[in-house]
């Protein structure tokens, strides 16, 4: 049985988005003081931001699971990765030098080094962005060949 690169990429995105959403949701149940502090970019607390991000990630994962249009799937993954990048750029612009609380407080509960998590999440963003663009371009080229 041959598994397509499209299927592997989309399934991996679904798994990653589901896991990161679960970490965020788990974090929202915590009692860490940082969760009640205001997010430096958005008009809400960290807890509320994590909840909103988890809902967005779960919605994206669900959409990817049911949608069969490859181009739209790739664009959805690209869009999501760009929102993650913009959030990180925004943090940098307002002077937040600390690691992103992208998974909430679950990393502290699991005693995982924040720097390691930060590097892994940056790699995931890059994987989503580059993978999405490359597969989108490949699919677009194939569609253009069929039309000519």
């Amino acid at each position: 049985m041959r598994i397509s690169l499209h299927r592997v990429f989309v399934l991996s995105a679904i798994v990653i988005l589901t896991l990161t959403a679960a970490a965020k949701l788990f974090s929202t149940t915590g009692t860490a003081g940082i969760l009640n502090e205001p997010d430096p970019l958005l008009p809400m607390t960290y807890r509320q931001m994590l909840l909103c991000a988890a809902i967005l990630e779960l919605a994206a994962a669900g959409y990817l699971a049911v949608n069969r249009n490859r181009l739209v799937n790739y664009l959805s993954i690209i869009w999501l990765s760009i929102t993650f990048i913009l959030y990180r750029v925004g943090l940098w612009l307002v002077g937040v030098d600390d690691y992103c609380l992208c998974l909430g407080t679950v990393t502290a509960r699991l005693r995982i080094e924040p720097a390691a998590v930060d590097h892994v999440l940056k790699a995931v963003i890059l994987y989503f962005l580059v993978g999405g663009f490359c597969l989108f371009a490949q699919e677009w080229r194939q569609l253009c060949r069929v039309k000519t």
Side-chain angles (χ1 to χ4, degrees), residues 88-142:
R88 284 176 172 266
V89 167
L91 290 176
W92 176 75
L93 287 173
V94 298
V96 176
D97 294 329
D98 214 358
Y99 298 109
C100 180
L101 278 176
C102 300
L103 293 182
T105 58
V106 73
T107 55
R109 290 182 186 182
L110 296 174
R111 300 190 198 308
I112 300 173
E113 203 54 45
V117 173
D118 195 56
H119 292 312
V120 168
L121 292 177
K122 285 177 184 173
V124 166
I125 293 170
L126 189 62
Y127 169 68
F128 282 177
L129 191 64
V130 173
F133 271 122
C134 289
L135 290 169
F136 180 87
Q138 178 186 19
E139 188 71 20
W140 185 263
R141 260 195 326 269
Q142 287 177 357

Side-chain angles (χ1 to χ4, degrees), residues 51-118:
L51 182 60
C52 289
I55 291 168
L56 176 69
E57 289 174 4
L58 287 174
Y63 181 78
L64 292 171
V66 299
N67 183 40
R68 298 293 170 233
N69 184 321
R70 289 181 178 197
L71 288 175
V72 175
N73 281 347
Y74 301 144
L75 287 175
S76 300
I77 293 168
I78 292 166
W79 169 79
L80 200 55
S81 63
I82 290 171
T83 62
F84 295 150
I85 291 168
L86 290 175
Y87 183 77
R88 284 176 172 266
V89 167
L91 290 176
W92 176 75
L93 287 173
V94 298
V96 176
D97 294 329
D98 214 358
Y99 298 109
C100 180
L101 278 176
C102 300
L103 293 182
T105 58
V106 73
T107 55
R109 290 182 186 182
L110 296 174
R111 300 190 198 308
I112 300 173
E113 203 54 45
V117 173
D118 195 56

Side-chain angles (χ1 to χ4, degrees), residues 11-80:
L11 284 175
S12 67
I14 292 168
V15 169
I16 291 167
L17 289 170
T18 303
L19 289 174
T20 57
K24 287 174 176 67
L25 289 173
F26 181 71
S27 291
T28 62
T29 65
T31 58
I34 187 81
L35 294 171
N36 297 319
E37 291 184 21
D39 181 272
L41 293 179
L42 304 171
M44 58 184 71
T45 65
Y46 276 114
R47 185 184 313 273
Q48 293 165 328
M49 182 273 297
L50 289 170
L51 182 60
C52 289
I55 291 168
L56 176 69
E57 289 174 4
L58 287 174
Y63 181 78
L64 292 171
V66 299
N67 183 40
R68 298 293 170 233
N69 184 321
R70 289 181 178 197
L71 288 175
V72 175
N73 281 347
Y74 301 144
L75 287 175
S76 300
I77 293 168
I78 292 166
W79 169 79
L80 200 55

